[in-house]
Amino acid sequence: MSMIRLKNVSKFYYSKGIIASGISRVNLDLDVGEFVVITGESGSGKSTLLNVISGLDTYEDGEMYIEGKETSHYTATDFEAYRQKYISCIFQSFNLISSYTVYQNVALAMQIDGCSNDEIRRRVPDIIEKVGLSEYKNRKVSRLSGGQKQRVAIARALAKDTRILVADEPTGNLDSASAEGIVDLLTDIASDKLVIVVTHNYDQFKDHATRVIKMHDGKIVEDTGISATRKSAVDYPEGGGRAARTGEEKSRKSIKYGTQLLLGIRNTFNLPAKFLLLLLVFLFVVSAVTAQYVTVRQQKDTVSEEGWNNYFMNYNPKRIVVKKTDNSAFTREDYKAIENAPHVERLIREDMLFDSSIYMENDDFSFSGYMLNISNLEQQPDLGGMPEKNNEVVLSGYDDGWTFGENPKALIGKTFTVTTEDGSDHKIKVTGILLKKGDGSEEYGSSESEIYLSDAMISEVRRGMYASNSTTTMLINGNEETLFSGTGGLVVNENVPEGYILLPTSYDPMFKKGYAAGNEVKLSVKALYYQESLDLMIMGTYGEKTFQKKTGLKDLAEHDGEIFINPTDYRRLYEKGSFQASVFVDDTKNIEGMKDMLERGGYHVLVLKDHISNFMNGELISVIQLPMAVIICLAVFFIAYFVIRLILKSRAVYFATVRMLGMGKKPSKRIMRVELVLDCMIAYGLFLLFTYLNKRGIIHSDRLMSYLMYLTARDYCILAVILIIMAVLISGRFMRSIFRSSAMGTYREEA
Ligand code: ADP
Ligand code: MG
C-alpha cells in the first residue's frame, strides 16, 4: 500500500467564467523513502499537483488515497487534520509570518501540533542550529534575506517532523549559492520522508532524486525511477523506522488554549502601527456606543421627570415613598436610620399628610398648604419666629403678593381655625412666615405652600385622617354591623366615661328585653395600615329627653343618630403612628442605590419617578429611542468592521499560513477574538482612564461630565459587555470571510 495514490485526478480552475485545467487525469503512487522531483515548463500544473497532494487545494475529479483511505468525502477540517499529521510545506515565497521572529515561526509549527512548552524550548534551538540560523534566532523574519527565510521554512518543516515534505520551487527566489545550501539541507532531512520537490532547475537536485516526474499541459508525460544514489533507503530499513513512527502517530493533539491566548496577545502588539490604527477604530466604537447608551439612559431619566401622578400630589422625581414591610408604624429608630443614610436630602415623616393639603381661615384671611413637621423646617422664618406651643405654626409660600396678601407681617400672631378630616375644629396661631423667592414654576406638583406643624398637631390631623379613611364596625350580640365609613357616627364626648359608649335609643330593640344599657359591644377599626378593636360597655341610650343631660349638648337634631365615646377611647382607635414616610434623595441618579438600600432594610419602596404619567409617555419615546440607538450601533459596527478588515488584510496571510501548518478553524477564530477583544478593552480602558481624570478634575470637559453623570458602575459593566460582544462579532465576521476560501485561495487573493 502506498502512502499517496492518485487515480485519474483532475483539478479545474474557474475564474471569471473561464475554466482552466490545472491537472487532468493524473495517476501517481508515492511512498515514503522517495525523493521525487517534479519538473516541467511554467503552467504545466506542477504547483496544482503539489497543492492537491498536500490538501491545500481541492480536486474535482478522480480519487486520492492516503494510506489507502479515500479522500473525496474529506471536509476542510479533515484536510487540516491530514496536513497537520502528514504534511510540511516549503514554498517559493516562503510563507512565513514576517512579523514573528525566527524562533517564533519555528515554535509556531510545534505549538499548532500541541507540543508541550518544554519540548518546544528544548527542540527549537537545536533545529535552528541545524539550519544555521542560531545567531538570527530573535530577529524578525521580515529582516532576513531570501536564503535565510527559506532556511526558516525548512526549520519549520523540521519542527513539524511529518512524513511528507513538499517543496514548491524552494530555490526559485534564491541566488545559486543560497540555493545550493537549501538543496543540501533538504537532502539532509529527507532521509525517512517522502520528499516531493517541484523545480525548474532539475540540475540542482539530480544528485539526490530517486524519481523524476515531468509534466506537460497538466499531464504526467514522464515518470522515471533513478537507481537511488540516496543512502537513506539503506539507513532506514522499511520495517523498523516506519513501525516506530506509526506508533508515534497516535491521536491528533491540537494547539493548547494557553498558546491561543498567547498568540492572540502577541498578534495584538507585534505590529505597532496596526495596533494603533485598531485602537483608534475601537476608540471610535467605544465613544459612539457610549454616546448611544447615555442617550437612551438620559432619555429615560428626563422623561420620567416630566409629567404627573394621580395618587401623589407631590411627585418630585427625587421622592421615594416607603412603608415598612410588616405594615407596622415607624419608630424613632427607623427615622434615625433613614435620615443618616447617605444621599438622603430630607425625610418626610408624615407622608400621608404631605400629600393632602390643610385649609386654615379666619375672618380676614385663608391659607392652604401641605403639612410638614416643624422638624423639617431647616431655617429661621423670614418673618416672626419659631413656634413654642403645640398649636403654633409656621407658614411657607411664595412671596408673590397674594399667597400671604399685601402685608404678610400682619398675619404673625393671628389665630386661625383648621378643620381636620374627621370634622373636628382646631385653633392654630401663626408665629412665623417663610418667604420663598420666585413663582414656583420650577416645582414639581403643586407644592407651592407649606404649613409646618408641631408633633402634637400633626398627630391630631393624622388621627382625623385615619378615622375618616377607615371602616369602623360595631359588634352587637355577635353580629357584626358596619356602622360607619370613616367616623360618620362616632363622636367624642367628655361626658362619656372611659370604657363606655352612649347610643341613641334606636339601638335598644337590638338587645334582649329591648334594653341596651349594661350590654357589651366591640368596636373594630380597619384602616389602610392598621386594625384596632376595643371592648366597651353601653352606658345607656339617649332619647329626646335625656340627650342634654347625658351629653351636655343642646340640640338633638344636630346630633341625631350619633354614637358618643370618651376622647381617650377615641384616640385608642384612631391616634396611631405614621405608617408611611417619604425620602428625598439629593440627586435622581442616587435613587436606585437608595431603593436597594431601603428594600434591604425591610421597607416597601415606591419610586415616584417610575410612576409618573406623561403625555408622550416615556415608553413611547424609548420605543423610538432604543431602536435608533441599536441602528446607530449597527452602523458603527459595520463601519468598524470594514475599517478593521482593511487594517487586518495582512492577517489573512497570517491565517492562511497557520492553516497550512494545520491549525483548525476554531483555534484560528479564538486567536483573532483574543486580539480584537483585547484591542477593544484597551480602548475602553483608555476611555475609563479619561473619564477618571475628568472626574478628578485633571482634565476638563464639562460636556463629557454632564454626559457621564448618568452612568453608574453597573452601566460601565453593561457597556463593557456590549463592547466585548461587538468585538467578538466583528472577529467572527472577519474570520468567516477568511475561511470562505481555501488556504491557497487566500494566498492567491493576497498575492
Ligand atoms: P506550474 O506550477 O507548473 O507553473 P500551475 O499548477 O500553477 O502550473 O498552473 C497550472 C494551470 O492552471 C495553468 O494553466 C494556470 O494558468 C492554471 N491556474 C493555476 N492557478 C490558477 C488559478 N488560481 N486560477 C486560474 N487558473 C489557474
Ligand atoms: Mg508553480
Side-chain angles (χ1 to χ4, degrees), residues 13-15 20-22 41-49 169 748:
Y13 289 107
Y14 307 90
S15 73
S21 162
E41 73 273 24
S42 180
S44 57
K46 308 181 293 291
S47 298
T48 307
L49 178 61
E169 312 219 20
R748 279 198 292 267

